[in-house]
Amino acid sequence: MMSEKKLNFLILIFLFFLPLFSILLNDIYITTLFSKIVILAIAGIGLNLILGYGGMVSFGHAAFFGLGGYVTGILAFHFNNYEPIQILVFEFEGTNQLLLIWIFTLIFSSILALFIGYFSLRTSGVYFIMITLAFAQMLYYFSISWPTYGGEDGLSLSLRNQIPFFNTMDPITFFYICYVWLIITIIFVKFILNSPLGISLKASKENEDRVRSVGINPKKVKLISFIISGAITGLAGSLYADLNRFVSPTILSWQMSGEIMILVILGGMFRLYGPILGAFFYIILEQFLGGITENWQFWLGFIILLEVLYAKAGLISFLIKDKYDEKTSS
Amino acid sequence: MEFQLLIEQLLNGLQFGTMLFLMSAGLTLVFGVMGLINLAHGSFYMIGAFGAALLAEITGSFFIGLISSFIFAMFAGVITEILVIRKLYKKDHLDQVLATFALILIFSEGIRWIFGAYPLYLNIPSELNASVSLPLEIIYSKYRLLIIAIGILIAFFLYILTSKTLLGIRIKAGQNDREMISVLGVNIKTLYTIVFALGAALAGLSGALIGAIQSVEVGMGEPVLILAFVVVIIGGIGSIKGAFVGALLVGVTDTLGRFLLPELFKLFFNNADANLIGSSIASMSIYILMAIVLIFKPSGLFGKSSA
């Protein structure tokens, strides 16, 4: 048992030295596996901003994750076949430069989040869960039925996209790229949470009327947070596409939304580092159970069920000593 | 000819809609009465289909299969409610989503464990596997007409059950004030188990009916589950009438969208483009429908004010 700060610090140190273990054990697959964990953790932190702190249960974050993936895949696809992207009368060149791709991903997922958020935030509660799901499903079915970028089969990238001076095909380099993005995300979300925006977001979750009474528009606060959340998850999707060098409609599916949501809840909401533990637990369990039994999902189901019924505050509550309290934790 | 095709598509939409209704009825009741989001509802659809395939194989009778689908799913519903669902009523929606997602994993893998990874086949008996001539020179599948009839019959039965019987009145009362009705001496636990099991049984029956047209396989329930949620949301949570209207709306929109939209776009684009754009938009049509309904009526067509 330890304080939350100490645990957070340990998580980051552990991840930093992870490639070293991977080299010592002579198993580079560990690094790739942890790249996946770090990417899903970024997506989870993005979702947690609105889920844990804002009380908005989005069941459609795969829309942003998938869009990020597809922006990355499509830009690389056009770079590789030298055909410009045509949108009405405009033409764009594809690119394989990650810095550019990330900027495009952030822009496009923000625009999508503005659109989805604007309409979804007119509803609340269960209806909000379902309308976000509906938007994600629209994109999912669109990606299946639109054949230009592979339709149901998806799109393969022959090489990972590039970043100057680094070899992104090297698993350890790619891991550290993801790691740096994780750190940036944590710092950024922490900054947001302590800013007037984050404080009014948390207040809107508790009592919208009070927020309104001091002259802040809670809808606007929620919408801006939703956009930030979508952009972060979109970026994670972009990294995921490069990690696998493959995008397919699966990353837009409702199971993907569910998976991101599950790792947030498993790790513990209301805590910035919760999704990292959640992602770690989820992926490791998947690997571990997958190694010992063909029916690993059966046991995964059991473990999740027990967790929900008996460990309300998520896994993180097993590791740190301060008692779970929604109101004081942030 | 175009006209006959249109009517045929309309009937397909109706058949799809009535099946969605069987699936959504339980979902909307459980949602409305117990305040529970049950992602595992699709698992009962699957269990019903597997139960039917198994018993139809053993007894050689399709109808025994159908009846057993109802019974199998009902039993699975009772057991699930008592062991797990009961503990979830007081938890928040997030925990419910997570726990019932876990149930999907357990049910799907459990079925795969027992029956293996290959799909089973449930054959329509030969006397139903035929076409029937309707007025206006329309020829339509006998089996699909039977499905429509069963769907409408059950809708009628549920309407009577929820509005005219003691059980229905208790369900409605539980929806409004669960403390009060338990004070009045109604065993709310048993009532919830009955509602949940009835919903599960209807889902199982629709799984068996559809399983005979498509195939019976693991994971068949989840796509239908998402559609059923769309129906419940469009109709308004807790409303059987809403579920019926929503289901028909979704069924017809989806089927006619796939048929008409490519035709519509042919007026503006060349054939290949029109087919592409039309079918892409058609595949999204019901979600667009749902988004539009929610934007204008944030708690669905027949829902009470915002949840």
Side-chain angles (χ1 to χ4, degrees):
Chain A
M1 288 299 203
M2 60 188 98
S3 74
E4 187 172 350
K5 263 202 174 125
K6 206 164 161 190
L7 176 71
N8 295 348
F9 184 68
L10 276 178
I11 291 173
L12 293 186
I13 293 291
F14 171 75
L15 286 176
F16 183 80
F17 286 109
L18 185 103
L20 202 66
F21 298 131
S22 183
I23 292 166
L24 286 176
L25 291 169
N26 202 12
D27 186 358
I28 205 67
Y29 178 65
I30 296 176
T31 303
T32 306
L33 193 66
F34 271 81
S35 302
K36 190 175 173 189
I37 291 174
V38 168
I39 291 168
L40 288 177
I42 296 173
I45 292 173
L47 175 64
N48 196 24
L49 174 66
I50 60 162
L51 184 74
Y53 298 102
M56 290 173 263
V57 184
S58 163
F59 202 175
H61 256 49
F64 309 114
F65 195 76
L67 183 82
Y70 267 98
V71 166
T72 307
I74 289 170
L75 285 172
F77 174 76
H78 282 279
F79 177 81
N80 288 331
N81 68 6
Y82 305 107
E83 278 174 22
I85 304 167
Q86 280 187 323
I87 301 173
L88 302 174
V89 289
F90 304 104
E91 282 195 351
F92 301 95
E93 295 294 323
T95 177
N96 72 341
Q97 288 305 312
L98 272 176
L99 295 173
L100 245 123
I101 287 176
W102 288 333
I103 291 171
F104 275 114
T105 301
L106 289 173
I107 293 173
F108 278 107
S109 38
S110 301
I111 295 173
L112 181 69
L114 171 68
F115 179 79
I116 295 181
Y118 179 79
F119 289 111
S120 304
L121 285 170
R122 298 167 70 116
T123 63
S124 60
V126 176
Y127 293 96
F128 182 83
I129 301 181
M130 291 303 151
I131 196 170
T132 46
L133 173 68
F135 279 116
Q137 289 291 103
M138 279 182 215
L139 285 183
Y140 172 70
Y141 283 109
F142 186 76
S143 71
I144 283 182
S145 57
W146 195 260
T148 316
Y149 300 111
E152 206 164 347
D153 300 329
L155 197 61
S156 288
L157 285 65
S158 48
L159 287 170
R160 280 200 187 122
N161 293 303
Q162 308 287 307
I163 196 165
F165 311 118
F166 292 103
N167 172 17
T168 51
M169 287 305 286
D170 173 41
I172 293 181
T173 312
F174 193 78
F175 173 80
Y176 279 115
I177 291 173
C178 300
Y179 183 76
V180 168
W181 268 115
L182 179 68
I183 303 284
I184 295 173
T185 308
I186 289 172
I187 294 172
F188 181 66
V189 172
K190 204 169 193 169
F191 168 75
I192 294 284
L193 288 175
N194 292 322
S195 72
L197 175 75
I199 294 164
S200 37
L201 174 70
K202 283 179 264 182
S204 307
K205 180 189 169 191
E206 302 299 328
N207 192 332
E208 277 201 24
D209 291 333
R210 283 200 174 178
V211 173
R212 202 174 290 120
S213 72
V214 295
I216 299 168
N217 181 355
K219 281 266 147 51
K220 202 168 151 192
V221 169
K222 285 186 167 182
L223 183 58
I224 294 171
S225 312
F226 193 86
I227 293 169
I228 294 170
S229 165
I232 294 172
T233 306
L235 188 96
S238 170
L239 291 171
Y240 197 67
D242 263 312
L243 173 72
N244 300 321
R245 288 184 285 139
F246 179 63
V247 282
S248 73
T250 320
I251 56 170
L252 284 162
S253 66
W254 72 279
Q255 283 93 339
M256 190 73 229
S257 298
E259 210 168 289
I260 300 174
M261 195 196 272
I262 279 169
L263 58 90
V264 169
I265 304 171
L266 274 185
M269 291 187 292
F270 324 114
R271 290 181 201 277
L272 194 50
Y273 287 64
I276 309 178
L277 278 185
F280 175 80
F281 175 77
Y282 192 80
I283 299 295
I284 293 298
L285 203 65
E286 189 181 290
Q287 286 291 321
F288 172 71
L289 289 175
I292 50 176
T293 161
E294 210 176 299
N295 307 95
W296 61 274
Q297 287 195 330
F298 186 82
W299 302 109
L300 180 67
F302 258 114
I303 292 170
I304 295 176
L305 199 58
L306 291 178
E307 212 268 353
V308 183
L309 295 178
Y310 302 107
K312 170 81 182 106
L315 290 171
I316 207 164
S317 64
F318 289 125
L319 296 169
I320 51 180
K321 67 167 173 265
D322 60 347
K323 251 197 98 122
Y324 170 74
D325 183 355
E326 189 179 323
K327 285 191 180 77
T328 54
S329 69
S330 63
Chain B
M1 192 57 210
E2 277 287 316
F3 173 74
Q4 272 86 353
L5 202 59
L6 185 71
I7 296 291
E8 196 183 306
Q9 292 297 332
L10 200 64
L11 284 171
N12 278 341
L14 215 59
Q15 177 258 307
F16 186 32
T18 46
M19 274 311 90
L20 281 178
F21 171 70
L22 288 193
M23 192 57 190
S24 324
L27 205 58
T28 202
L29 278 181
V30 169
F31 227 150
V33 179
M34 290 94 115
L36 176 90
I37 299 187
N38 180 20
L39 293 185
H41 202 62
S43 298
F44 300 119
Y45 178 87
M46 175 183 73
I47 288 169
F50 272 91
L54 184 69
L55 264 110
E57 177 75 39
I58 294 171
T59 62
S61 159
F62 179 73
F63 290 99
I64 292 179
L66 274 192
I67 293 163
S68 61
S69 73
F70 192 84
I71 295 168
F72 265 100
M74 190 173 72
F75 267 109
V78 170
I79 293 166
T80 315
E81 205 274 345
I82 290 174
L83 289 183
V84 180
I85 301 291
R86 214 167 250 196
K87 299 188 173 75
L88 295 174
Y89 295 139
K90 285 199 175 136
K91 301 210 173 224
D92 59 26
H93 287 325
L94 265 181
D95 283 334
Q96 296 171 351
V97 166
L98 195 57
T100 51
F101 186 88
L103 283 177
I104 294 183
L105 294 179
I106 293 171
F107 279 126
S108 295
E109 273 314 308
I111 291 278
R112 205 196 308 273
W113 218 339
I114 299 168
F115 290 93
Y118 300 102
L120 302 182
Y121 293 94
L122 180 60
N123 293 323
I124 306 169
S126 51
E127 65 266 26
L128 282 173
N129 201 1
S131 303
V132 39
S133 304
L134 298 175
L136 299 168
E137 296 174 45
I138 296 156
I139 296 165
Y140 198 67
S141 150
K142 227 179 198 176
Y143 183 69
R144 284 175 192 262
L145 273 185
L146 176 79
I147 291 183
I148 297 175
I150 292 178
I152 291 173
L153 209 68
I154 289 178
F156 182 69
F157 162 77
L158 280 181
Y159 172 74
I160 298 292
L161 183 80
T162 51
S163 63
K164 301 279 191 277
T165 66
L166 185 63
L167 180 69
I169 291 163
R170 284 178 171 169
I171 290 173
K172 264 191 191 159
Q175 208 161 348
N176 290 329
D177 192 335
R178 67 179 82 174
E179 275 82 21
M180 187 54 93
I181 94 151
S182 52
V183 168
L184 291 174
V186 175
N187 186 341
I188 194 112
K189 271 191 174 169
T190 318
L191 180 70
Y192 281 5
T193 311
I194 292 171
V195 172
F196 192 86
L198 179 67
L202 290 177
L205 179 65
S206 71
L209 285 168
I210 292 299
I213 301 180
Q214 296 162 1
S215 65
V216 177
E217 57 191 332
V218 172
M220 65 189 284
E222 277 66 51
V224 189
L225 170 82
I226 299 284
L227 292 180
F229 269 117
V230 171
V231 167
V232 169
I233 295 293
I234 288 179
I237 291 170
S239 164
I240 287 284
K241 191 166 75 179
F244 189 67
V245 174
L248 293 191
L249 212 56
V250 166
V252 172
T253 305
D254 187 65
T255 317
L256 284 191
R258 282 172 208 283
F259 175 61
L260 291 178
L261 280 175
E263 299 295 321
L264 181 72
F265 281 100
K266 275 181 192 153
L267 301 174
F268 307 103
F269 299 98
N270 64 42
N271 274 1
D273 280 355
N275 276 331
L276 179 64
I277 298 172
S279 59
S280 299
I281 294 183
S283 70
M284 303 189 287
S285 59
I286 51 171
Y287 298 101
I288 297 173
L289 175 74
M290 168 173 160
I292 292 172
V293 168
L294 279 191
I295 286 162
F296 290 104
K297 292 207 76 167
S299 44
L301 293 177
F302 295 93
K304 294 185 190 118
S305 60
S306 190

